[in-house]
Amino acid sequence: MKILLVEDEKKVASFIRNGLMEQSYSVDMAFDGIQGERMARATNYDAILLDVMIPLKSGFALCRSIRSFDSRVPIMMLTALDSTEDKLQGLDAGADEYLAKPFEFRELLAHLRSLLRRRTSQPSATVLEVGDLRMNLDSRTVTRAGRPIVLTAREFALLEFFLRSRNRVISRTEIAERVWETSFDSESNVIDVYVSFLRKKLDRGFDQKLIHTLVGVGYILKAPETV
């Protein structure tokens, strides 16, 4: 999943970003409100973490701006302003969650997971499937035909993106932007290597393959019967 973090304190931003990346999230960072709004308009994020006291445009103003063009993206405000009035102002601006600083990272993570689960009322949103392949986002488990498949954090994130884009051709550049950093060198062979790792784990013991290469275009994940 892709997260936008808007935080002007670079040490705090780096701490949060590194922690989220260890949990298989892809994180873009902005350091002021203007940059944050530009990035929010350009990319469909799964969630936005937004500090209140940021330069050029406050977190409250930025939250209202985002809500003017995107009513659905989950927004969590992070701030040292923890009075009731501040919380009410944040919620009235359109935030879904309000987490006061200082906080433990595991607390932020729990709030983020709860926020993402509440995006939809459909229980199946936490399970992604194609053919006999099943990914449970809550338990972070993957099975094929009932057989457990052990993945690294990066492989899990890559497979999640494939499943969310199933039956659609995705380019290496798109994978780089969604699963790795936006500044990732998409001309390197790292993506090909990880796709190869993932294929071996998914297809071991099965005749029918799930991830297919379109030379010069990208990759596509399809159920065997639709290939």
Side-chain angles (χ1 to χ4, degrees):
M1 290 190 172
K2 197 169 184 69
I3 309 296
L4 173 62
L5 171 62
V6 188
E7 166 65 72
D8 65 317
E9 295 185 41
K10 294 190 176 181
K11 287 186 177 180
V12 174
S14 180
F15 167 74
I16 295 174
R17 169 182 171 273
N18 291 341
L20 290 176
M21 289 181 66
E22 288 179 0
Q23 297 295 317
S24 303
Y25 294 101
S26 176
V27 183
D28 288 346
M29 293 195 297
F31 301 106
D32 62 64
I34 299 299
Q35 182 187 22
E37 181 173 354
R38 183 170 64 250
M39 294 173 70
R41 287 183 180 275
T43 303
N44 293 321
Y45 289 99
D46 295 294
I48 296 175
L49 306 183
L50 174 59
D51 185 44
V52 169
M53 300 176 69
I54 49 177
L56 302 185
K57 190 170 192 173
S58 76
F60 294 135
L62 174 55
C63 188
R64 285 191 292 269
S65 294
I66 292 172
R67 284 290 175 245
S68 70
F69 60 84
D70 190 338
S71 63
R72 303 189 66 180
V73 62
I75 298 176
M76 185 193 310
M77 305 203 82
L78 311 174
T79 180
L81 303 175
D82 62 351
S83 71
T84 300
E85 288 303 316
D86 291 321
K87 292 178 180 178
L88 290 175
Q89 186 175 354
L91 295 173
D92 286 343
D96 301 285
E97 288 269 5
Y98 195 104
L99 185 60
K101 298 178 180 178
F103 51 78
E104 291 188 30
F105 179 75
R106 60 181 180 175
E107 182 183 8
L108 181 147
L109 195 59
H111 279 272
L112 177 59
R113 286 173 174 163
S114 174
L115 192 61
L116 292 170
R117 284 196 298 268
R118 296 203 308 265
R119 285 189 307 171
T120 173
S121 60
Q122 298 298 322
S124 60
T126 60
V127 175
L128 302 175
E129 295 178 286
V130 62
D132 56 2
L133 180 68
R134 178 184 175 92
M135 170 182 278
N136 188 305
L137 298 174
D138 283 340
S139 62
R140 298 189 66 76
T141 56
V142 176
T143 60
R144 183 168 183 190
R147 187 192 72 185
I149 298 173
V150 179
L151 301 177
T152 65
R154 185 67 70 185
E155 290 166 349
F156 189 95
L158 179 59
L159 179 58
E160 180 183 348
F161 182 55
F162 269 118
L163 284 165
R164 292 185 182 279
S165 308
R166 57 190 176 275
N167 301 321
R168 180 175 71 84
V169 178
I170 51 178
S171 67
R172 295 168 72 256
T173 299
E174 189 175 358
I175 293 172
E177 291 174 348
R178 296 293 291 181
V179 182
W180 274 263
E181 297 297 302
T182 53
S183 59
F184 181 83
D185 180 8
S186 60
E187 294 304 313
S188 77
N189 70 339
V190 172
I191 291 174
D192 304 299
V193 170
Y194 269 91
V195 170
S196 177
F197 289 159
L198 188 58
R199 275 180 170 147
K200 290 177 181 177
K201 292 186 177 183
L202 296 182
D203 295 337
R204 187 179 296 127
F206 295 92
D207 294 330
Q208 296 177 307
K209 312 307 179 185
L210 296 175
I211 299 175
H212 301 265
T213 302
L214 280 72
V215 179
V217 181
Y219 301 98
I220 185 169
L221 181 146
K222 289 185 177 183
E225 63 270 19
T226 63
V227 173

